[in-house]
Amino acid sequence: MPAKLQAECLTYKIKEFMNKVIKITIDDLECMAAKGQYIIDAAKDNGIFIPTLCNYPGVKPKGSCRICTIKVNGRLMTACTTPVAENMIIENNIPELQDLRKAIVELLFIEGNHFCPACEKSGNCELQALAYRFHMMVPRFPYSFPQRQVDATNPKLIKDQNRCILCKRCIRAIKDSDGRSIFAYKRRGQHVEISIDPKIGKDLSDEVALKAMDVCPVGALLVREKGFDVPIGERKYDKTPIGSDIENM
Ligand code: SF4
Ligand code: FES
């Protein structure tokens, strides 16, 4: 290709690229982001960790847990549902937000019954990992010790409502081959809980059951008769804190 044409091609490609990216600032760091991207993904692409719980890659964000709260131009917003905009000023790693996030983690712990030492998800649990990351010792709120049931009627999965944080990740991410949700909410208010559709749920494949366990950020969905394939101490967050994979990219 002649040099002039080559230069024109390069200029065109640079222009095309510049049309697709915008500049944002996260904690005084200038970052590039793709237009339309959610802040949470833009931060990740720039090696910045913003904690999440209800958000799950590839699933439409819901913005329900509020753990990803950031400040955009001084206003509190959720990073998982807010798209980037040109010259946005974002605050993430500031004491006020870190304490707010820690308080949310504490609230989730006192609101349920989280028996971490006896949980198959220990070491792979995002809530537990965030509690470690925020150095949670004793929650500032009193425990509520709710009465909740373990449902072991499904042939493939055990549902322990004690640990459910109602993030709806299972409802949004796990569908059958016809696109129908296998999980749903039942009851209302403080009695709301996850239910597994008895008709669709009875034919769950091993693969879908395993995916449901993985999608659940805590140990509320566990595959039956499966445990300790990976020993305690060697699991995902046992050795490296949650978010370190993003920060060390
Ligand atoms: S069962 Fe797990 S994935 Fe489903 S809502 Fe509860 S915590 Fe979230
Ligand atoms: S991760 Fe953003 S609100 Fe839950």
Side-chain angles (χ1 to χ4, degrees):
M1 192 191 288
K4 192 170 169 245
L5 196 60
Q6 221 171 11
E8 276 173 6
C9 265
L10 191 65
T11 316
Y12 175 78
K13 279 188 179 154
I14 292 172
K15 271 190 188 158
E16 199 183 42
F17 174 74
M18 293 313 284
N19 278 339
K20 285 184 188 155
V21 295
I22 54 171
K23 209 167 63 182
I24 58 170
T25 305
I26 307 179
D27 291 338
D28 298 327
L29 190 78
E30 271 200 6
C31 304
M32 301 299 265
K35 273 184 188 163
Q37 206 176 17
Y38 289 116
I39 293 172
I40 200 87
D41 300 318
K44 188 176 175 190
D45 288 349
N46 285 277
I48 296 166
F49 173 64
I50 301 176
T52 55
L53 277 172
C54 69
N55 202 41
Y56 192 75
V59 177
K60 198 167 175 242
K62 206 67 188 139
S64 59
C65 75
R66 322 309 278 186
I67 198 90
C68 67
T69 300
I70 41 154
K71 275 192 171 179
V72 177
N73 300 338
R75 285 184 60 200
L76 295 175
M77 315 276 271
T78 45
C80 68
T81 55
T82 311
V84 289
E86 186 76 52
N87 295 325
M88 226 177 202
I89 308 282
I90 299 162
E91 290 167 90
N92 170 47
N93 193 7
I94 56 171
E96 177 194 342
L97 292 177
Q98 296 298 35
D99 188 56
L100 178 92
R101 294 164 181 168
K102 188 176 178 184
I104 293 173
V105 170
E106 290 175 16
L107 279 168
L108 290 169
F109 267 93
I110 62 103
E111 185 277 337
N113 301 307
H114 295 269
F115 318 108
C116 297
C119 181
E120 172 52 23
K121 207 70 185 275
S122 182
N124 288 326
C125 170
E126 294 172 36
L127 182 67
Q128 182 194 48
L130 284 175
Y132 280 126
R133 181 162 175 134
F134 293 135
H135 304 290
M136 187 186 99
M137 301 300 280
V138 179
R140 70 196 81 173
F141 313 103
Y143 282 97
S144 54
F145 301 117
Q147 298 275 318
R148 298 212 177 124
Q149 302 296 316
V150 176
D151 179 355
T153 52
N154 185 275
K156 292 279 164 61
L157 280 174
I158 294 172
K159 186 211 68 166
D160 188 344
Q161 196 60 41
N162 287 287
R163 300 192 184 111
C164 176
I165 58 168
L166 300 173
C167 66
K168 284 191 174 174
R169 270 166 47 163
C170 54
I171 301 177
R172 290 178 287 139
I174 310 292
K175 313 270 179 186
D176 73 355
S177 50
D178 296 326
R180 293 174 299 180
S181 283
I182 296 163
F183 298 87
Y185 267 2
K186 69 173 181 189
R187 304 208 179 89
R188 284 167 188 268
Q190 61 171 332
H191 302 295
V192 71
E193 64 174 87
I194 284 293
S195 67
I196 307 175
D197 187 294
K199 271 198 197 142
I200 316 175
K202 76 175 173 22
D203 298 323
L204 277 192
S205 65
D206 291 341
E207 198 190 353
V208 173
L210 208 56
K211 187 172 175 212
M213 182 170 163
D214 279 348
V215 159
C216 181
V218 290
L221 296 174
L222 301 174
V223 172
R224 293 180 86 103
E225 295 174 18
K226 188 163 174 60
F228 300 98
D229 285 357
V230 180
I232 297 276
E234 290 176 26
R235 296 175 179 191
K236 194 171 174 193
Y237 305 122
D238 283 337
K239 290 188 175 147
T240 47
I242 191 167
S244 55
D245 53 335
I246 294 173
E247 290 162 331
N248 301 327
M249 266 193 323

